[in-house]
Amino acid sequence: MAAVPVLVMPLKLWIDRPGPLTAESGYYPSGHTATAMVAYCGAALLLAPRTGRAGRGWAMPVAVVLSAATGIGLVLRGYHWPLDVLGSWLLCGMLLALLVAALRRIDSRGAAGSGTDAP
């Protein structure tokens, strides 16, 4: 979650794009979409291993639906252009992919270190 503003805010300042209903700028990428996606999908990644096989089947699809609904709702209400939301989805998709890679690496280290090295 801490990485979202670190990634989003510099892009908003650099691109300085106006919103659909206002002359104010700083709408690309959508910070609300980015925060929702990282929160929902991050929670799903944390919950899935702890909920067994059934949890792995529903946690991420629910997170994806909630993330999509958030972004689409922001576009339909006129708060963001579709590209604002798409940019956030792509940016946070990369962020979540890095998180998954890091979690797998940590998990594989834990599995390698949990051998029976008893004296």
Side-chain angles (χ1 to χ4, degrees), residues 34-48:
T35 302
M37 184 175 178
V38 169
Y40 293 138
C41 294
L45 288 170
L46 292 173
L47 284 175

Side-chain angles (χ1 to χ4, degrees), residues 57-111:
W58 64 264
M60 191 55 74
V62 168
V64 168
V65 168
L66 290 171
S67 299
T70 300
I72 292 167
L74 289 166
V75 171
L76 292 177
R77 296 294 297 160
Y79 295 119
H80 282 285
W81 296 107
L83 189 59
D84 301 344
V85 171
L86 181 63
S88 290
W89 285 338
L90 294 173
L91 181 68
C92 291
M94 290 186 296
L95 181 64
L96 288 166
L98 290 172
L99 175 64
V100 168
L103 289 174
R104 285 186 180 156
R105 186 175 180 126
I106 290 168
D107 196 32
S108 68
R109 283 185 184 173

Side-chain angles (χ1 to χ4, degrees), residues 3-81:
V4 171
V6 171
L7 292 172
V8 170
M9 290 312 294
L11 285 172
K12 284 181 177 283
L13 294 172
W14 180 52
I15 295 171
D16 202 32
R17 179 178 174 183
L21 298 177
T22 179
E24 292 181 33
S25 62
Y27 282 81
Y28 179 88
S30 168
H32 291 99
T33 302
T35 302
M37 184 175 178
V38 169
Y40 293 138
C41 294
L45 288 170
L46 292 173
L47 284 175
R50 289 159 182 77
T51 56
R53 176 172 261 183
R56 283 188 279 274
W58 64 264
M60 191 55 74
V62 168
V64 168
V65 168
L66 290 171
S67 299
T70 300
I72 292 167
L74 289 166
V75 171
L76 292 177
R77 296 294 297 160
Y79 295 119
H80 282 285
W81 296 107

